[in-house]
Amino acid sequence: MTGELMVKAEGVHKSYGAAHILRGIDLEVRSGEVFCLVGPSGSGKSTFLRCINHLERIDGGRLSVDGQLVGYRQHGDKLYELRDREVAAQRRDIGMVFQRFNLFPHMTALANVMEAPIQVKGETKAVARERAERLLDRVGLRDRMGNYPSQLSGGQQQRVAIARALAMEPKLMLFDEPTSALDPELVGDVLDVMRDLAESGMTMIVVTHEMGFAREVGDSLVFMDGGVVVESGHPREVLTNPQHDRTKAFLSKVL
């Protein structure tokens, strides 16, 4: 069951030079919700995701996670950017899984998952190891803990990346097309892990081309194009009965 407001975007804008990537995004994600973002390449989905944890600065509007402004503090009518240390503290509560796995190649799967809690939270190795073992077991990699990334398939590496993000015990998980770099036969294992996460009540924002996953697991779906929200609603409703011509054209190509 979804609950309190977890993410709120109000008129979010983002530009790179003359390219206006996000053009006033308004949306809300509630606690416990699986929120899917779909749309063509270049529509601003991944940029918006990166703005949520301040990997990208927004140029206008406001973004809040769990009631706190992301990357800024407000004094009177003005917003002031937080220091790097303060932004890093905010990011601890937001897990992110990228298209590319970004694992440390010189570390085993177990060490990859242990690293951030030890370095960022100051946990003991024993505590971090116990959690890392539990998480790797949860993502189906109990027998691969001692393997290095080069010894793992892409799907296995992505599951390690999910376990690594979960090791920080985030209240929000962001997935940026987590299956798009994988061979088709490896996609299912990653989606199964994400289904399990959704069933456990994790708040998730998922940029995806996996329409079946969005239909089965998603609570809300937003179709973006040209840096704006074109259409939103329950995934089954949007996917089976799109109202906007642009949504219809997109879905006719991907469904």
Side-chain angles (χ1 to χ4, degrees):
M1 186 67 192
T2 54
E4 299 293 312
L5 198 59
M6 178 61 78
V7 178
K8 185 176 177 69
E10 304 169 87
V12 171
H13 286 261
K14 174 66 185 176
S15 297
Y16 298 106
H20 199 168
I21 306 299
L22 300 177
R23 300 169 175 265
I25 300 292
D26 294 298
L27 55 80
E28 295 183 350
V29 181
R30 307 205 83 79
S31 180
E33 188 172 11
V34 178
F35 192 98
C36 297
L37 286 171
V38 304
S41 295
S43 58
K45 308 180 303 293
S46 294
T47 299
F48 177 69
L49 208 66
R50 293 169 67 84
C51 289
I52 292 173
N53 63 2
H54 208 58
L55 286 174
E56 302 283 358
R57 292 182 179 86
I58 63 175
D59 298 318
R62 299 161 68 90
L63 252 176
S64 304
V65 172
D66 204 15
Q68 278 195 314
L69 276 177
V70 173
Y72 297 89
R73 75 160 60 83
Q74 184 164 356
H75 283 300
D77 294 336
K78 284 195 168 180
L79 294 180
Y80 297 89
E81 190 164 14
L82 297 177
R83 297 186 186 92
D84 289 348
R85 185 165 42 90
E86 296 168 304
V87 171
Q90 285 187 333
R91 279 200 198 114
R92 289 182 197 180
D93 293 327
I94 305 173
M96 186 151 186
V97 179
F98 300 88
Q99 291 180 41
R100 300 288 167 187
F101 325 118
N102 296 343
L103 298 177
F104 296 117
H106 62 289
M107 290 184 179
T108 63
L110 185 66
N112 263 284
V113 179
M114 290 171 61
E115 179 73 0
I118 292 170
Q119 298 299 333
V120 179
K121 283 186 167 180
E123 285 186 355
T124 65
K125 282 191 176 177
V127 169
R129 184 187 182 96
E130 187 278 327
R131 186 191 298 109
E133 289 177 349
R134 183 163 33 86
L135 287 169
L136 286 167
D137 187 31
R138 182 178 180 181
V139 300
L141 294 172
R142 172 183 281 281
D143 58 341
R144 300 286 187 177
M145 294 185 191
N147 288 47
Y148 290 89
S150 62
Q151 299 169 314
L152 300 171
S153 72
Q156 290 167 336
Q157 289 185 62
Q158 191 62 292
R159 284 184 279 154
V160 174
I162 293 171
R164 180 179 61 180
L166 291 172
M168 290 294 285
E169 301 184 311
K171 55 191 170 191
L172 170 66
M173 283 283 284
L174 308 176
F175 292 87
D176 188 6
E177 298 188 20
T179 59
S180 66
L182 302 179
D183 292 334
E185 68 268 25
L186 302 176
V187 168
D189 290 339
V190 173
L191 293 180
D192 285 344
V193 170
M194 293 170 65
R195 272 191 198 91
D196 173 60
L197 264 185
E199 286 168 10
S200 74
M202 174 62 76
T203 312
M204 299 160 62
I205 303 179
V206 185
V207 172
T208 186
H209 294 297
E210 301 290 340
M211 299 301 160
F213 174 85
R215 184 189 288 111
E216 291 167 43
V217 183
D219 297 299
S220 299
L221 182 141
V222 157
F223 171 67
M224 284 178 66
D225 190 30
V228 299
V229 172
V230 176
E231 190 165 341
S232 62
H234 190 278
R236 286 193 189 92
E237 185 63 30
V238 176
L239 293 174
T240 57
N241 188 27
Q243 300 300 301
H244 197 285
D245 287 345
R246 184 67 192 90
T247 318
K248 291 174 186 173
F250 173 76
L251 292 176
S252 73
K253 294 188 176 77
V254 299
L255 288 178

